Amino acid sequence: MATASTASRITRKIGIAVKKAASRKKGWYDLHMAAASGAIAQRLPLVDLVAEIRDARIPLSSEYELLRDFPALSKRIVVMNKIDLADQTQVKGWMRYFEQQNCIPYGVNSHNKDSVKGLLNFIQAQVRGLCKANHHASETITIMLVGIPNVGKSALANSLHQMGRISAAEKGRLKHATVSPQPGETKDISSFKVGSHPNIYLLDTPGILPRMIHDAELCSKLVLTGAIRDGLIEQKELARYFLTVLNLSDQYKKWAKFSANEDRLLSFIEHKEEGSISSKLEMRQKKQHMMDHTQDLIVNDVRGTIFDTISCFDGNIELEEDMIKLMEAELVALREAFRVPQGLGEYVYNRVVGVKLLDLYRTGRLGHYTLDTLPLTLHHPL
């Protein structure tokens, strides 16, 4: 399809830019990752189960490459985290795909208590099955969590540990893994108890990326979802990649109710008389509130602006040149939706809009997208 080739060309260009920047600056693979890779490789053959955490938005692209060096490992659990950010219509297809790859799949949202509880029950059931099948006499089972950076390993380890301690009615101070929005913050292998009878321990490990990433599209997906740290390329370029994905989807059609024809609360506030009862401090706080791009009013304005811009565009987004024109029009229109002050200069405009737009994408406020395509080899049940 022409649209697919247009998206691929734009995605590859961004990926190539990321790779070039990584070669000039401190890239994604450092001495810490190299040391962690060695430590993980030493312990992998000694654990009872491996739970590979993947990002449900990029189920293939978030593969933990180090596991390829251990083909003798028994069946592993593939936990697709962040399913709340992925296209829900594709989650089941990816579950079937991993089953056919001789893996045990499970989808979870690490920020949802019920979802994490379901994962804990699932892990405990897998442990019971393992003990029964292998006549496991040990009173301790270890499960290693592995994955690339920023897939949510530490958040899951914390939540599972807390729930496991509560369900086992154990007391004592909880041990917490470091959780950060920045990739690569977990520095050491840590142990967390999540069950008793038998005792089940999770080993939380640092996120590891391959030393070299040859696929430019893969690079783009990793940097857009936050597995590769921000800063290697301009935020505007990442925003353009996201807008490519959005423009080729039907997501924007759901935002017709946020069209510019709707009344804006901001206009009401801006036209208040200066003699209002509100003090200057209160007015300043209101203005700061209105500048917060996470507020529902601004998010809805952003949605409406994107809807209006796409709906009014008379070009053919199957053509790369027209897709670029549409993205540029969206980035300009979003300055007003994000309440970006005038007179900042083109570079600052693009950076501010890019940062805010990416934040809304990464938190699911602008729809749910799966960037990987299901392999054609997937066998559908009869």
Side-chain angles (χ1 to χ4, degrees):
M1 289 178 61
T3 53
S5 61
T6 296
S8 293
R9 284 195 296 271
I10 293 173
T11 305
R12 280 197 298 271
K13 287 179 181 178
I14 293 171
I16 291 170
V18 172
K19 293 175 67 175
K20 287 182 177 178
S23 65
R24 295 193 304 268
K25 307 175 184 178
K26 183 180 179 181
W28 53 76
Y29 193 89
D30 53 21
L31 293 176
H32 165 69
M33 279 195 184
S37 296
I40 293 170
Q42 287 181 344
R43 300 186 73 165
L44 263 173
L46 306 178
V47 301
D48 298 292
L49 277 175
V50 174
E52 180 187 5
I53 314 300
R54 297 203 188 190
D55 187 328
R57 297 169 296 178
I58 48 172
L60 278 185
S61 299
S62 56
E63 177 190 6
Y64 190 70
E65 196 172 275
L66 185 62
L67 290 182
R68 295 180 184 178
D69 297 333
F70 296 88
L73 285 176
S74 58
K75 278 190 176 184
R76 69 180 186 274
I77 302 172
V78 173
V79 179
M80 287 197 297
N81 192 21
K82 305 186 182 184
I83 58 171
D84 52 310
L85 302 179
D87 184 341
Q88 297 301 302
T89 63
Q90 297 193 39
V91 171
K92 290 184 179 179
W94 282 104
M95 297 282 280
R96 291 198 305 272
Y97 169 79
F98 287 122
E99 286 175 349
Q100 292 171 10
Q101 300 301 307
N102 204 33
C103 299
I104 307 167
Y106 195 90
V108 68
N109 170 8
S110 62
H111 299 292
N112 182 284
K113 185 177 294 187
D114 291 336
S115 183
V116 175
K117 179 64 175 176
L119 175 61
L120 177 61
N121 292 337
F122 175 79
I123 289 175
Q124 291 172 341
Q126 293 299 319
V127 168
R128 288 194 295 270
L130 175 70
C131 292
K132 184 177 180 180
N134 298 338
H135 304 288
H136 211 294
S138 174
E139 295 183 354
T140 300
I141 300 293
T142 56
I143 304 173
M144 181 177 280
L145 300 184
V146 298
I148 65 172
N150 209 35
V151 291
K153 296 185 305 300
S154 295
L156 276 175
N158 281 334
S159 297
L160 290 167
H161 175 51
Q162 186 173 27
M163 288 189 176
R165 294 285 295 270
I166 292 173
S167 64
E170 295 182 7
K171 298 180 180 180
R173 185 177 179 181
L174 291 174
K175 180 180 179 183
H176 293 280
T178 300
V179 179
S180 169
Q182 297 300 320
E185 288 298 314
T186 303
K187 302 297 184 184
D188 303 299
I189 299 176
S190 303
S191 177
F192 300 87
K193 189 174 183 180
V194 300
S196 302
H197 312 297
N199 295 320
I200 306 173
Y201 286 88
L202 292 182
L203 301 182
D204 181 33
T205 64
I208 305 295
L209 285 167
R211 183 184 298 273
M212 297 293 296
I213 300 176
H214 300 288
D215 188 328
E217 288 191 47
L218 172 58
C219 257
S220 293
K221 293 174 184 178
L222 292 175
V223 73
L224 181 62
T225 54
I228 293 177
R229 63 183 176 85
D230 289 339
L232 290 179
I233 62 171
E234 297 291 342
Q235 297 292 334
K236 178 186 176 182
E237 296 306 311
L238 282 182
R240 282 159 59 104
Y241 175 27
F242 165 63
L243 287 173
T244 301
V245 175
L246 188 155
N247 293 340
L248 292 174
S249 74
D250 293 329
Q251 179 64 47
Y252 78 96
K253 296 179 181 178
K254 302 176 183 178
W255 301 335
K257 61 184 177 181
F258 304 123
S259 174
N261 293 325
E262 296 291 321
D263 293 333
R264 304 297 193 197
L265 178 60
L266 181 62
S267 298
F268 172 75
I269 292 178
E270 286 180 338
H271 288 87
K272 271 180 172 279
E273 296 182 1
E274 291 184 4
S276 169
I277 299 176
S278 299
S279 66
K280 290 183 179 180
L281 176 61
E282 290 172 335
M283 290 299 292
R284 192 181 306 118
Q285 290 174 339
K286 283 184 179 180
K287 288 180 180 179
Q288 290 174 346
H289 178 79
M290 296 303 295
M291 294 288 288
D292 182 358
H293 67 280
T294 65
Q295 297 300 317
D296 289 344
L297 174 66
I298 293 186
V299 173
N300 290 338
D301 274 359
V302 170
R303 292 168 176 167
T305 297
I306 293 173
F307 172 84
D308 290 339
T309 308
I310 298 176
S311 299
C312 295
F313 187 69
D314 58 0
N316 180 5
I317 60 173
E318 293 186 3
L319 303 177
E320 183 177 358
E321 182 179 352
D322 282 359
M323 173 66 84
I324 292 173
K325 288 180 181 178
L326 173 57
M327 290 189 293
E328 293 301 327
E330 289 170 319
L331 290 171
V332 171
L334 286 170
R335 296 175 185 177
E336 182 177 352
F338 279 125
R339 300 2 178 210
V340 181
Q342 296 182 0
L344 297 179
E346 197 69 17
Y347 175 80
V348 179
Y349 275 138
N350 291 333
R351 177 171 176 77
V352 171
V353 171
V355 168
K356 293 177 183 289
L357 190 66
L358 287 174
D359 181 63
L360 293 186
Y361 155 67
R362 288 171 174 169
T363 54
R365 304 295 298 279
L366 294 179
H368 305 149
Y369 307 89
T370 299
L371 305 180
D372 285 338
T373 302
L374 269 170
L376 297 176
T377 54
L378 176 66
H379 304 295
H380 295 279
L382 298 177

